[in-house]
Amino acid sequence: MNLNELGSPSGGPTRCAIGLDIGGTKIAGGVVTEAGETTQVLRIPTPREGGADAMLQALMKVIDRLRDRTPGIEAIGVGAAGMVEWPTGLIRCAPNNAYDELPLQDLLTERTGLPITVENDANAAAWAEWRFGQGANYRNGLLLTIGTGIGGGIILNDQLYRGDVGIGSEVGHIVINPEHGSLCGCGVTGCLEAQASGTALGRMGREAAAADPTGLLASLHGGPGSVTGETVFSAAEHGDPTARALFDKLGYWLGAGIASLVNIFNPEIVLIGGGLVTTRQYLFPPTQASFEQFVFAGSQRKLPLIECARLGAEAGLVGAAALALK
Amino acid sequence: MNLNELGSPSGGPTRCAIGLDIGGTKIAGGVVTEAGETTQVLRIPTPREGGADAMLQALMKVIDRLRDRTPGIEAIGVGAAGMVEWPTGLIRCAPNNAYDELPLQDLLTERTGLPITVENDANAAAWAEWRFGQGANYRNGLLLTIGTGIGGGIILNDQLYRGDVGIGSEVGHIVINPEHGSLCGCGVTGCLEAQASGTALGRMGREAAAADPTGLLASLHGGPGSVTGETVFSAAEHGDPTARALFDKLGYWLGAGIASLVNIFNPEIVLIGGGLVTTRQYLFPPTQASFEQFVFAGSQRKLPLIECARLGAEAGLVGAAALALK
């Protein structure tokens, strides 16, 4: 079906954009209408080598394929992991990708002839949740994406908070355990990402498995060294108390981090997205308890709900496209 | 001199307001012109007992005295320690004062017949610094006031950030050492105020003095139990390495807290105000070093300067008055 046949609320043709989400592991691309509907979603691995050239080639492959299939694309929005300047769309650094100082917005504008918007991936996901998802009824809120890392987007008065030049809102890198914490990929010890991400869960799982080589964690997937966050989840699903205690620990740090952010922003709602949402039955109860333990003056104000984001894995590309159509 | 004789830039009479700053120890009041000039400053002790009635009586005493001396007061601005709702001016809680749920804005409006603005004290101080002080050339910044507690005000795009209902911006209560930290007056373990305030300095000083009863800290002011933040400062001035190490520790936590806030807001400048500014020669170098250690991607972006606030002890009342005249 040609998207323009869908029609828009105003009766004219449906406006649509390509949304791209560049993560550390894969690039997702899709065509998104102004109503947030997604079609033609593609996923390819993020190039591990070849730097900016390989990345650009990969992005153009996705873009060309989507444009071939869908005429009338108006704009392209990109959500990219890392520190992205706004409104220039310069990627300052991307700890999990093979490039730095990449002027992606300029490069894609040159190659496609379309208006390009490049935004931090978690910001894009937050925008999607506030336009089309679980945040739509709230004017002020936070989205935390808990996956390999921890990203975040902040909505203030119905607008995406970007700071002065788009850098900021790095809520995964607030410092929460500097003296005794783990080393983060960003080089800092004890930031929230180092304590409460999927990477942290895998690390804690390997430590626990090494400490108990005959336990379930060690035996599930080929020895203590092979334990990942997924292994810990499997073990928790099998009722393993060690694995569940690791989720308690992860939730402890996540809840303390959310408390800090709520003390600063007093949002109406906190949404949790990202891969670890699938573990919510183990992760959310200790997160909620820790949040209530550490939030300031919790008994004297209305605390925000902590809920699951609704848009799932496509939030980033939907939000990026919505920002491009804005 | 009658303030109206000063004249305003527009040639008309100078507009002026009363500014009041309610702290845990004292109430300061003064007359402030629209240009930020202050006259007639009074200080009285904050009533320790008698709850809301005693507080209101004390405030009215200051207000009446100032109005008697200065005709033409247009409005009254109050900066109050604690969690203050905006724009209602309801003080939800004030951990260091003898009242809760005090509708101060309504009560003062009734008693004075003047327009009243009630704001969090650190927010008021931040506004003063951005209108008349060290922040005047910056559009985005933070003020931290380090004294008995830690307060903060956030300026985004030249506006005071208040969140949805004025609650938030509680930067002194971000959680930074939950597992091994000290208990804060707010009831939480390991928030920034518990780790890096004047109260924290005094507590660390007493611990250090108890551990070394013949050291300088223990002998300066009548024994280990009497050590305060001021004692630690005196000992540092005498070259005591123990006291200086305590400032290093305080700066370590303060710098880590500032790193978290800079990761979220990416401000152009961070101003430090409050009583501990007098100790800056000992406090600021370790704060700066810790900030650089813990900030995200510090080598890949322009980091904000960390500087002294300029307006000193009167920032709160000046800012409160300026907000009332706004």
Side-chain angles (χ1 to χ4, degrees), chain A residues 82-83 92-95 100-101 139-140 154 156-157 161 163-171 173-180 186-190 249 252-253 256-257 259-266 268 293-297 300-302, chain B residues 82-83 92-95 100-101 139-140 154 156-157 161 163-171 173-180 186-190 249 252-253 256-257 259-266 268 293-297 300-302:
Chain A
M83 189 180 265
R92 277 283 178 100
C93 65
D100 266 339
E101 299 289 333
R139 299 186 62 226
N140 293 279
I154 300 166
L156 303 181
N157 286 326
Y161 172 69
D164 198 25
V165 292
I167 297 171
S169 169
E170 289 291 351
V171 300
H173 299 280
I174 58 173
V175 182
I176 191 148
N177 193 19
E179 275 191 323
H180 303 278
C186 76
V188 164
T189 295
K249 197 76 197 153
Y252 170 85
W253 291 109
S260 289
L261 296 169
V262 167
N263 291 345
I264 294 173
F265 289 111
N266 191 42
E268 297 161 87
Q293 179 185 342
F294 287 109
V295 73
F296 179 66
Q300 274 144 321
R301 58 168 161 165
K302 191 164 175 251
Chain B
M83 188 180 266
R92 277 281 178 100
C93 66
D100 267 339
E101 299 290 333
R139 299 186 62 227
N140 292 280
I154 300 166
L156 304 181
N157 287 326
Y161 171 69
D164 199 26
V165 292
I167 296 172
S169 169
E170 288 291 352
V171 300
H173 298 280
I174 59 173
V175 181
I176 191 147
N177 193 19
E179 276 192 322
H180 303 277
C186 75
V188 164
T189 295
K249 198 74 197 154
Y252 171 85
W253 291 109
S260 289
L261 296 169
V262 167
N263 291 345
I264 293 173
F265 290 109
N266 191 42
E268 297 163 87
Q293 179 185 343
F294 287 109
V295 74
F296 179 66
Q300 274 144 321
R301 58 169 162 164
K302 192 165 174 246

Side-chain angles (χ1 to χ4, degrees), chain B residues 111-311:
Chain B
R111 276 165 181 73
T112 65
L114 288 176
I116 308 284
T117 309
V118 179
E119 179 64 73
N120 170 274
D121 58 347
N123 280 3
W127 186 247
E129 288 292 339
W130 259 261
R131 284 280 285 112
F132 309 117
Q134 194 64 4
N137 295 321
Y138 302 93
R139 299 186 62 227
N140 292 280
L142 307 176
L143 170 73
L144 292 181
T145 55
I146 321 285
T148 310
I150 295 185
I154 300 166
I155 305 287
L156 304 181
N157 287 326
D158 280 329
Q159 296 299 319
L160 192 55
Y161 171 69
R162 291 190 176 98
D164 199 26
V165 292
I167 296 172
S169 169
E170 288 291 352
V171 300
H173 298 280
I174 59 173
V175 181
I176 191 147
N177 193 19
E179 276 192 322
H180 303 277
S182 303
L183 184 65
C184 182
C186 75
V188 164
T189 295
C191 55
L192 184 60
E193 178 165 310
Q195 302 293 126
S197 63
T199 304
L201 185 64
R203 189 196 62 243
M204 294 193 302
R206 286 187 294 280
E207 288 165 4
D212 179 13
T214 60
L216 186 61
L217 270 176
S219 56
L220 261 184
H221 292 143
S226 312
V227 170
T228 64
E230 284 77 17
T231 321
V232 181
F233 180 48
S234 299
E237 292 276 70
H238 283 88
D240 181 47
T242 304
R244 293 200 178 167
L246 296 183
F247 276 104
D248 289 348
K249 198 74 197 154
L250 207 73
Y252 171 85
W253 291 109
L254 183 58
I258 291 173
S260 289
L261 296 169
V262 167
N263 291 345
I264 293 173
F265 290 109
N266 191 42
E268 297 163 87
I269 191 163
V270 177
L271 297 180
I272 309 286
L276 262 72
V277 161
T278 52
T279 71
R280 63 182 168 274
Q281 70 187 105
Y282 308 114
L283 181 59
F284 279 27
T287 300
Q288 180 73 36
S290 171
F291 165 66
E292 290 173 14
Q293 179 185 343
F294 287 109
V295 74
F296 179 66
S299 62
Q300 274 144 321
R301 58 169 162 164
K302 192 165 174 246
L303 292 178
L305 295 172
I306 303 176
E307 289 187 359
C308 273
R310 195 194 289 165
L311 298 182

Side-chain angles (χ1 to χ4, degrees), chain B residues 3 6-9 14-19 30-41 124-125 127-133 310-326:
Chain B
L3 273 167
L6 286 170
S8 79
T14 299
R15 299 176 60 211
C16 57
I18 288 174
V31 174
V32 183
T33 71
E34 59 190 322
E37 294 158 327
T38 311
T39 58
Q40 318 271 15
V41 176
W127 186 247
E129 288 292 339
W130 259 261
R131 284 280 285 112
F132 309 117
R310 195 194 289 165
L311 298 182
E314 286 170 15
L317 73 91
V318 170
L323 286 164
L325 285 174
K326 206 183 163 191

Side-chain angles (χ1 to χ4, degrees), chain A residues 1-6 8 12-19 30-34 39-40 63-77 112-115 321 324-325:
Chain A
M1 182 176 63
N2 186 316
L3 274 167
N4 289 338
E5 291 163 16
L6 287 171
S8 79
T14 299
R15 300 175 60 210
C16 58
I18 289 174
V31 175
V32 183
T33 72
E34 59 190 321
T39 58
Q40 318 272 11
I63 291 169
D64 289 341
R65 213 181 300 169
L66 291 170
R67 289 181 84 178
D68 282 349
R69 294 185 197 169
T70 312
I73 296 290
E74 259 184 53
I76 299 175
T112 65
L114 289 176
L325 285 175

Side-chain angles (χ1 to χ4, degrees), chain A residues 20-109:
Chain A
L20 296 167
D21 187 353
I22 309 177
T25 315
K26 58 186 179 301
I27 297 170
V31 175
V32 183
T33 72
E34 59 190 321
E37 293 157 327
T38 311
T39 58
Q40 318 272 11
V41 175
L42 306 173
R43 285 192 172 77
I44 62 171
T46 305
R48 302 306 310 159
E49 286 166 2
D53 288 343
M55 173 60 77
L56 210 56
Q57 216 167 10
L59 291 175
M60 284 307 301
K61 200 163 94 180
V62 176
I63 291 169
D64 289 341
R65 213 181 300 169
L66 291 170
R67 289 181 84 178
D68 282 349
R69 294 185 197 169
T70 312
I73 296 290
E74 259 184 53
I76 299 175
V78 184
M83 189 180 265
V84 182
E85 260 192 25
W86 184 86
T88 58
L90 167 71
I91 304 180
R92 277 283 178 100
C93 65
N96 298 314
N97 287 324
Y99 53 81
D100 266 339
E101 299 289 333
L102 180 69
L104 188 60
Q105 192 161 303
D106 288 349
L107 291 168
L108 287 180
T109 303

Side-chain angles (χ1 to χ4, degrees), chain B residues 4-154:
Chain B
N4 289 338
E5 291 164 16
L6 286 170
S8 79
S10 60
T14 299
R15 299 176 60 211
C16 57
I18 288 174
L20 295 167
D21 187 352
I22 308 177
T25 315
K26 57 185 180 303
I27 297 169
V31 174
V32 183
T33 71
E34 59 190 322
E37 294 158 327
T38 311
T39 58
Q40 318 271 15
V41 176
L42 306 174
R43 285 192 172 79
I44 62 170
T46 305
R48 300 307 309 160
E49 287 166 2
D53 288 343
M55 173 60 77
L56 210 57
Q57 216 167 11
L59 291 174
M60 285 307 302
K61 200 162 95 180
V62 176
I63 291 169
D64 289 341
R65 213 181 298 168
L66 291 170
R67 289 180 84 179
D68 282 350
R69 294 185 197 167
T70 313
I73 296 290
E74 260 185 50
I76 299 176
V78 182
M83 188 180 266
V84 182
E85 260 191 25
W86 183 87
T88 57
L90 166 72
I91 305 181
R92 277 281 178 100
C93 66
N96 299 312
N97 287 324
Y99 53 82
D100 267 339
E101 299 290 333
L102 181 69
L104 188 60
Q105 193 161 301
D106 288 348
L107 291 168
L108 287 179
T109 302
E110 218 170 80
R111 276 165 181 73
T112 65
L114 288 176
I116 308 284
T117 309
V118 179
E119 179 64 73
N120 170 274
D121 58 347
N123 280 3
W127 186 247
E129 288 292 339
W130 259 261
R131 284 280 285 112
F132 309 117
Q134 194 64 4
N137 295 321
Y138 302 93
R139 299 186 62 227
N140 292 280
L142 307 176
L143 170 73
L144 292 181
T145 55
I146 321 285
T148 310
I150 295 185
I154 300 166

